[in-house]
């Protein structure tokens, strides 16, 4: 069967695609950084318990992870909505194919959220702290795996035909060679950003032990990313791989730029420069998100070009959205300051 026959017609969008693409990129970067803080922080806390050392760090992390997960969830809504605007005919279809798993994400995230609160509230009284943090960590890692399944499945309509043999919504994209390295690439990246969050916490508290611990996690995980990054790159279909290896100047420059930024973050981390490492890491994540966006365009190019989507030129909803967004920035900044002040006083 021709996979093109399975792809629904794209929706008309109100303004040119570039607006939504830029908002998708910006909100995704914010979401992925927060997600990395939660997953990486939980992994670092678990490691501290298993080693029987630095329980003070685990205690500090326990008080912050529920809030960080709440922010992660809220910041995850926007990029998912913008993705649906531009690629709804792909991501809705892949979501239906794995519907049982996709809907289970709501339950898994809620369970992880409550699990982090239980870990925080019972930290001083429970003798099973490793288990209390291991459970929500495992749930979040599972959520990441399900997201990787959907995001890879939407890119390959040829795999959608498996639905005709299993219409229960329980299909996963396990046969895709990109799935495992892509998922592990994100998870190892979470350890690096989680380590950086610990280093930032240490710098705020004036605790050099936190800084050393966090930067150690950051540097080792970032170096490990070289392995998983190469594996992910080599798992790409030949047309995409060739573009990133020099077949297309834009794709090659994006990947090269991301690698240079990652190297800069490593250099500053080895020098103990926490603010510099933060800057280069944010830029690296932003660049990697552009590489990811480029990969999506390459793989979907045989089926659709978002630049050719029909536009109704109804700008008023977008203007209203941007106005509310800009007004919300100082409000959110004030709320964050109040939260940090309350944490510091407590």
């Amino acid at each position: 069967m021709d996979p093109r026959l399975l792809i629904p017609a794209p929706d008309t969008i109100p303004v040119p695609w570039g607006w939504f693409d830029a908002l998708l990129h910006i909100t995704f970067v914010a979401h992925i950084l927060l997600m990395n803080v939660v997953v990486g922080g939980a992994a670092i806390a678990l490691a501290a318990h298993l080693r029987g050392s630095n329980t003070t760090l685990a205690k500090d992390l326990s008080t912050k992870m529920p809030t960080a997960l709440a922010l992660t969830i809220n910041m995850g809504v926007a990029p998912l909505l913008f993705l649906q605007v531009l690629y709804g005919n792909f991501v809705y279809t892949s979501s239906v194919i794995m519907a049982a798993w996709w809907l289970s994400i709501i339950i898994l995230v809620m369970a992880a959220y409550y699990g982090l609160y239980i870990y925080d509230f019972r930290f001083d009284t429970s003798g099973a702290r490793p288990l209390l943090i291991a459970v929500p960590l495992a749930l979040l890692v599972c959520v990441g795996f399900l997201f990787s399944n959907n995001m890879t499945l939407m890119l390959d309509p040829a795999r959608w035909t498996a639905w005709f043999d299993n219409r229960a919504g329980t299909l996963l994209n396990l046969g895709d060679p990109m799935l495992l390295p892509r998922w592990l690439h994100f998870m190892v990246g979470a350890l690096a950003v989680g380590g950086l969050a610990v280093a930032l916490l240490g710098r705020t508290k004036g605790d050099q032990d936190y800084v050393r611990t966090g930067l150690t996690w950051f540097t080792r995980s970032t170096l490990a990313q070289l392995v998983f990054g190469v594996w992910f790159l080599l798992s790409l279909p030949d047309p995409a791989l060739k573009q990133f290896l020099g077949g297309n100047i834009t794709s090659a420059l994006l990947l090269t730029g991301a690698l240079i930024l990652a190297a800069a973050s490593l250099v500053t981390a080895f020098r103990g420069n926490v603010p510099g490492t933060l800057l280069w890491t944010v830029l690296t994540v932003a660049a990697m998100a552009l590489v990811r966006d480029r990969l999506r365009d390459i793989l979907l190019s045989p089926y659709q070009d978002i630049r050719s989507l029909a536009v109704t030129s109804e700008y008023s909803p977008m203007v209203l959205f941007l106005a509310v967004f800009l007004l919300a920035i100082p409000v959110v900044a004030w709320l964050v300051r109040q939260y940090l002040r309350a944490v510091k006083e407590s």
Side-chain angles (χ1 to χ4, degrees):
M1 175 181 291
D2 186 351
R4 293 177 178 81
L5 299 176
L6 302 176
I7 303 172
D11 291 330
T12 301
I13 55 178
V15 298
W17 67 274
W19 288 94
F20 296 109
D21 196 51
L23 291 168
L24 168 60
H25 182 70
I26 293 168
T27 54
F28 174 75
V29 170
H31 166 69
I32 205 67
L33 285 170
L34 288 167
M35 182 277 290
N36 287 347
V37 169
V38 177
V39 175
I44 293 171
L46 176 60
H49 289 307
L50 294 178
R51 292 172 181 172
S53 62
N54 213 344
T55 54
T56 302
L57 171 59
K59 173 62 176 176
D60 276 346
L61 291 173
S62 73
T63 62
K64 296 171 177 57
M65 284 187 292
T67 301
L69 181 56
L71 292 172
T72 301
I73 295 169
N74 280 277
M75 287 304 302
V77 173
L80 187 59
L81 291 176
F82 292 129
L83 180 73
Q84 292 169 354
V85 170
L86 293 173
Y87 303 97
N89 49 335
F90 294 95
V91 73
Y92 275 127
T93 306
S94 60
S95 298
V96 169
I97 291 172
M98 56 173 289
W101 295 109
W102 189 241
L103 293 174
S104 73
I105 288 176
I106 300 172
I107 300 173
L108 295 174
V109 171
M110 289 177 63
Y113 191 39
Y114 280 105
L116 289 177
Y117 268 113
I118 293 171
Y119 174 63
D120 179 20
F121 292 160
R122 297 189 179 178
F123 191 95
D124 295 323
T125 59
S126 175
R129 286 176 289 188
L131 179 61
L132 291 181
I133 188 59
V135 171
L137 173 60
L139 292 173
L140 293 174
V141 169
C142 181
V143 169
F145 181 69
L146 295 178
F147 262 94
S148 292
N149 268 273
N150 200 358
M151 295 304 107
T152 52
L153 184 59
M154 68 167 282
L155 300 177
D156 193 356
R159 294 182 179 274
W160 297 355
T161 56
W163 179 82
F164 293 103
D165 298 319
N166 181 356
R167 306 188 183 190
T170 58
L171 285 170
L172 291 173
N173 199 30
L174 301 179
D176 193 327
M178 291 191 300
L179 174 62
L180 186 58
R182 179 191 178 108
W183 173 58
L184 291 175
H185 185 62
F186 275 98
M187 293 300 103
V188 176
L191 297 179
V193 177
L196 180 56
V198 169
L200 287 167
L201 178 62
R203 191 173 187 273
T204 302
K205 294 168 63 74
D207 190 324
Q208 287 304 309
D209 184 47
Y210 278 27
V211 173
R212 285 190 295 270
T213 299
L215 291 181
T216 298
W217 276 91
F218 177 84
T219 53
R220 291 179 179 177
S221 300
T222 303
L223 288 171
Q225 282 287 62
L226 295 175
V227 176
F228 292 102
V230 171
W231 182 13
F232 183 25
L233 180 66
L234 296 178
S235 72
L236 301 182
D238 284 342
L241 179 61
K242 289 177 181 177
Q243 287 207 30
F244 284 112
L245 294 182
N248 180 277
I249 188 63
T250 302
S251 301
L253 285 176
L254 279 175
L255 180 59
T256 302
L259 293 175
I260 291 173
L261 291 170
S265 70
L266 269 175
V267 170
T268 53
F270 279 122
R271 292 177 177 175
N273 183 351
V274 178
T277 305
L278 174 63
L279 172 63
W280 291 116
T281 299
V282 172
L283 292 176
T284 300
V285 172
M288 286 297 184
L290 285 174
V291 173
R292 178 177 177 268
D293 187 66
R294 181 67 177 174
L295 174 62
R296 180 170 51 227
D297 285 346
I298 294 171
L299 296 180
L300 292 181
S301 60
Y303 309 108
Q304 178 176 297
D305 182 357
I306 60 171
R307 295 160 186 80
S308 63
L309 292 176
V311 180
T312 61
S313 297
E314 297 176 1
Y315 283 87
S316 54
M318 178 60 72
V319 171
L320 180 60
F321 167 79
L322 292 176
V324 173
F325 176 75
L326 292 174
L327 290 172
I329 292 176
V331 176
V332 173
W334 178 81
L335 289 172
V336 170
R337 284 198 301 270
Q338 295 302 310
Y339 168 75
L340 294 175
R341 182 181 300 173
V343 170
K344 187 176 181 180
E345 292 175 352
S346 63

